[in-house]
Amino acid sequence: MFALNLLRAGLLISLQTTALLGHAESLTSPGHHDPIEVDTGLTLSQVIDATMENYPDASWLNALEEESAAIAERSQSWTAGAASAGLAFQEATSGTLHILDAAVQVPLWNPGQRDAEQALAKQAGNSAQSQKSAVKLRIAGLIRAALWDIELANIKFNQAKTDKEVTQALLDKVRQRYELGDLARSDLLLAQSELLQKQSSLTLAEAEIMHARKRYISITQSSKIPARYQESLSELTEIKQNHPNLVAVNSQIDRKQAELEAIRRVGSGQTQLAVGINSDRGNNDPRSNDTESFNIGVSVPFGGSAHMAPQIAAVNVELNQLITQRDQLYRDLELAHHEAEHALEVNRAEQDNANQLKKLAEEHLEMTELSFSAGEINLMDLLKIQARTQQSILYANERAVMLQRDIALYNQAVGVLP
């Protein structure tokens, strides 16, 4: 009777274990996959360049270049605007007198105006190129972060996978000792519960990998990543004026100043040169001179400063907004540099601590496993020490990756491209 009850209990435990493990295995599939292909011939710089070509900002950058080309073309024109032609015809009611007036009116450049337009065209071209460099740096930052997010997610996934395998091996030992009557049923249930938790952690870690990969694919529109993207630490120790973001905003300021000067050179308006002919013909009409004449005239505007003032003021507002943005940007860049530098210093120091902690934890776990096998400690204590050791290993592995990531983020902060 006792043997029969023991057999039933064993069968029940086996069925419960199978059900629990079957449920746990179902948790390891996050339901979607975002495959990533490691390309050994691909570099980080190439990824950034390829992303630039299809990035949403590409159309805006192209428009800036087209605008600068249009301004340059206008500044090369011999006239300050479009010429106009006029034609007037008069005929007396008697039909014996005919007067024809034809003239062409051409706007002339004011003194210094054409030079100001050419300076504006040059600054517009410089600004377009500077904006492109700033956008490229921003894209580089997104790609850097995405790649290291994938690496950190891989570290967590691999550790979760190892933790599950270790816990599975422990469960097998616990089940064997339970069947031999060396451990209680509660120990077996505890080991099974621990395995479920490890499998759940593995599922979540795999899901995080998929999310990290999706972010990278969304940014680059590619599923290929370079095999190596570690960077050397930049020697820059402060924010320089040649930082791409500062160059971009300064080029916008220079352009606005050039635009302001071009508007001022317009003054009250354009001087107009008019050239025309006059034909006066009549059929024996005493009022007719029967002559043709050549006419030339100049029209000079004046007193229009009050009308130009609002336009000048509007551009001046935009100029001062850009100056304000530059000053705030410099403060933000200095803060980002300080934070990147501090994070790098902390991770360097913490990596040594993490490696020492990992070594001690592994030694402690080895001793604890021997003690558990000898029956000197219970399963709960072993699981606690095992979890602490696994966390120490994960922490050390993460710190090694985070140190490389922080180097990339430091380079990003000082404006250095890969």
Side-chain angles (χ1 to χ4, degrees), residues 90 95-100 278-285 287-292:
Q90 298 181 27
T96 58
L97 178 63
H98 307 280
I99 300 176
L100 177 66
N278 175 266
S279 176
D280 184 354
R281 293 289 183 228
N283 296 326
N284 299 320
D285 191 316
R287 295 171 295 177
S288 174
N289 295 319
D290 287 329
T291 60
E292 294 189 6

Side-chain angles (χ1 to χ4, degrees), residues 60 101 135 162 378:
W60 168 62
D101 290 310
V135 170
T162 300
N378 59 37

Side-chain angles (χ1 to χ4, degrees), residues 347-361:
N347 273 328
R348 279 174 173 165
E350 195 61 21
Q351 186 179 23
D352 294 334
N353 295 334
N355 289 333
Q356 293 180 21
L357 181 61
K358 172 187 173 183
K359 182 179 179 180
L360 293 174

Side-chain angles (χ1 to χ4, degrees), residues 51-266:
T51 303
M52 275 284 294
E53 295 179 1
N54 299 318
Y55 207 69
D57 283 315
S59 58
W60 168 62
L61 294 174
N62 290 335
L64 288 178
E65 292 180 352
E66 291 173 0
E67 182 193 27
S68 65
I71 296 174
E73 184 178 1
R74 181 181 66 184
S75 68
Q76 297 300 322
S77 174
W78 288 101
T79 63
S84 60
L87 181 65
F89 177 75
Q90 298 181 27
E91 183 179 55
T93 55
S94 62
T96 58
L97 178 63
H98 307 280
I99 300 176
L100 177 66
D101 290 310
V104 175
Q105 200 169 37
V106 180
L108 302 179
W109 292 107
N110 293 335
Q113 184 184 2
R114 192 182 185 193
D115 291 340
E117 285 284 338
Q118 291 175 347
L120 174 59
K122 180 180 178 180
Q123 295 301 336
N126 292 340
S127 180
Q129 292 301 315
S130 299
Q131 304 312 311
K132 186 176 182 179
S133 298
V135 170
K136 186 174 183 178
L137 178 64
R138 176 160 56 86
I139 291 174
L142 295 174
I143 294 175
R144 280 165 162 160
L147 284 171
W148 288 110
D149 283 347
I150 292 176
E151 187 69 21
L152 286 172
N154 285 333
I155 291 292
K156 292 181 180 179
F157 174 77
N158 291 332
Q159 184 62 46
K161 187 177 180 180
T162 300
D163 293 349
K164 176 193 169 185
E165 293 171 353
V166 170
T167 306
Q168 178 67 64
L170 178 60
L171 174 59
D172 294 339
K173 292 180 181 178
V174 170
R175 183 187 295 110
Q176 184 179 13
R177 291 180 61 180
Y178 167 75
E179 292 172 351
L180 294 174
D182 189 26
L183 292 177
R185 178 187 175 191
S186 59
D187 289 327
L188 180 60
L189 294 176
L190 179 60
Q192 291 171 344
S193 176
E194 187 70 14
L195 181 59
L196 279 173
Q197 292 180 7
K198 298 303 181 183
Q199 288 175 327
S200 179
S201 297
L202 179 60
T203 300
L204 295 176
E206 186 178 2
E208 283 303 313
I209 288 181
M210 297 302 110
H211 294 324
R213 289 178 176 181
K214 184 60 180 178
R215 285 193 292 271
Y216 175 83
I217 293 172
S218 177
I219 294 169
T220 63
Q221 297 296 295
S222 172
S223 60
K224 294 184 178 181
I225 66 173
R228 292 184 56 83
Y229 42 87
Q230 293 81 5
E231 302 179 39
S232 300
L233 183 64
S234 171
E235 296 180 356
L236 294 176
T237 57
E238 60 182 2
I239 300 299
K240 300 291 187 179
Q241 289 299 317
N242 62 352
H243 189 290
N245 290 346
L246 284 176
V247 172
V249 70
N250 278 326
S251 69
Q252 288 179 304
I253 290 174
D254 292 340
R255 174 190 164 142
K256 280 298 173 184
Q257 289 174 335
E259 184 178 345
L260 196 60
E261 179 63 20
I263 293 174
R264 286 172 176 161
R265 290 293 180 176
V266 174

